[in-house]
Amino acid sequence: AQPLPVINGVTKVTATASASSKVVNVGDDCTLSFTANNCGTNNVTNVKIMIDNIVYARSGSLPAGQSATYRVNLPISGPVSFQPVICYTEPDGNEIAQKLNTISISCPSNDLAISVQASTTNPGPYEDVLFHLTLTNNGNDVIQRVQLYDCDHQPIGGPLDALYPRQVVEADLEAPIHLATNVVFYVEALESGGRVAAQSNMIKIIPSIR
């Protein structure tokens, strides 16, 4: 038998996945981006990005200390979650497969709605802005696991178990705004047809410098 090659370096590849939008209309495309970083001292080869055992992107090699980004356009036929996997070959010939973070895509809801009002659009120094949020279920079915998100898509509090037909829920959120910014809030939930989402109206906040 041939002796195994001696590998003196370190093989370490990290990767993340993201989507161009977490809310996509049925029939539209969504761009998925995958960034791989070779943090080790060994080159790796035969790099592949796979979803459900289908190869969507590949490259011949990823040298030590370098990174690469792969982009894939996928049509969205309904709410869906992707579990991407990155595969690569180490210098000793071993093929490694690593799961990436899950990407969940929601589709706009005809029933779930969110609106926002601001106490001011021109806050003074050290003045917080009070945002008044209104969630509404305009449909005839119960909407479950209602989760509110800020403009960076970070969750705000825990999920609301249910939003009943024609129910309206109001909430206030106070936040410091130090730079001019467009504020938008999102809400995601579960309907009978799967995961849905809604986006609020946009409010432009311009802090004063007085």
Side-chain angles (χ1 to χ4, degrees):
Q2 293 291 327
L4 293 174
V6 177
I7 306 301
N8 295 318
V10 176
T11 301
K12 183 180 180 182
V13 175
T14 61
T16 57
S18 61
S20 56
S21 176
K22 292 191 175 185
V23 183
V24 181
N25 291 316
V26 172
D28 288 353
D29 285 354
C30 181
T31 301
L32 304 184
S33 298
F34 311 96
T35 300
N37 296 285
N38 187 344
C39 308
T41 56
N42 292 328
N43 299 337
V44 298
T45 57
N46 195 28
V47 181
K48 298 177 291 186
I49 301 294
M50 304 177 67
I51 300 175
D52 295 332
N53 294 320
I54 299 175
V55 178
Y56 283 91
R58 68 168 72 237
S59 65
S61 65
L62 183 59
Q66 295 191 17
S67 63
T69 298
Y70 313 88
R71 291 184 176 86
V72 178
N73 288 328
L74 292 179
I76 301 300
S77 57
V80 64
S81 290
F82 298 106
Q83 176 65 80
V85 175
I86 183 171
C87 301
Y88 57 89
T89 303
E90 295 182 318
D92 60 5
N94 286 332
E95 186 169 4
I96 305 297
Q98 295 177 195
K99 288 184 178 180
L100 279 64
N101 52 293
T102 301
I103 300 176
S104 295
I105 304 298
S106 301
C107 296
S109 170
N110 293 324
D111 297 333
L112 181 62
I114 177 173
S115 63
V116 60
Q117 294 176 315
S119 58
T120 177
T121 58
N122 188 221
Y126 310 108
E127 179 185 359
D128 289 349
V129 178
L130 181 66
F131 296 101
H132 184 74
L133 306 169
T134 303
L135 302 177
T136 307
N137 180 355
N138 294 309
N140 298 314
D141 297 320
V142 177
I143 300 176
Q144 299 177 316
R145 302 290 295 175
V146 183
Q147 177 65 59
L148 185 64
Y149 295 88
D150 64 18
C151 50
D152 294 321
H153 220 87
Q154 297 300 310
I156 301 173
L160 181 67
D161 288 337
L163 191 61
Y164 294 94
R166 310 301 172 182
Q167 183 181 2
V168 176
V169 173
E170 300 184 20
D172 289 329
L173 176 67
E174 198 169 35
I177 305 292
H178 302 301
L179 299 173
T181 185
N182 293 322
V183 176
V184 177
F185 291 90
Y186 304 90
V187 60
E188 293 185 357
L190 291 176
E191 288 184 353
S192 56
R195 182 176 294 276
V196 296
Q199 176 178 317
S200 76
N201 52 298
M202 180 183 294
I203 297 180
K204 188 173 186 65
I205 306 293
I206 305 177
S208 65
I209 345 178
R210 61 179 184 272

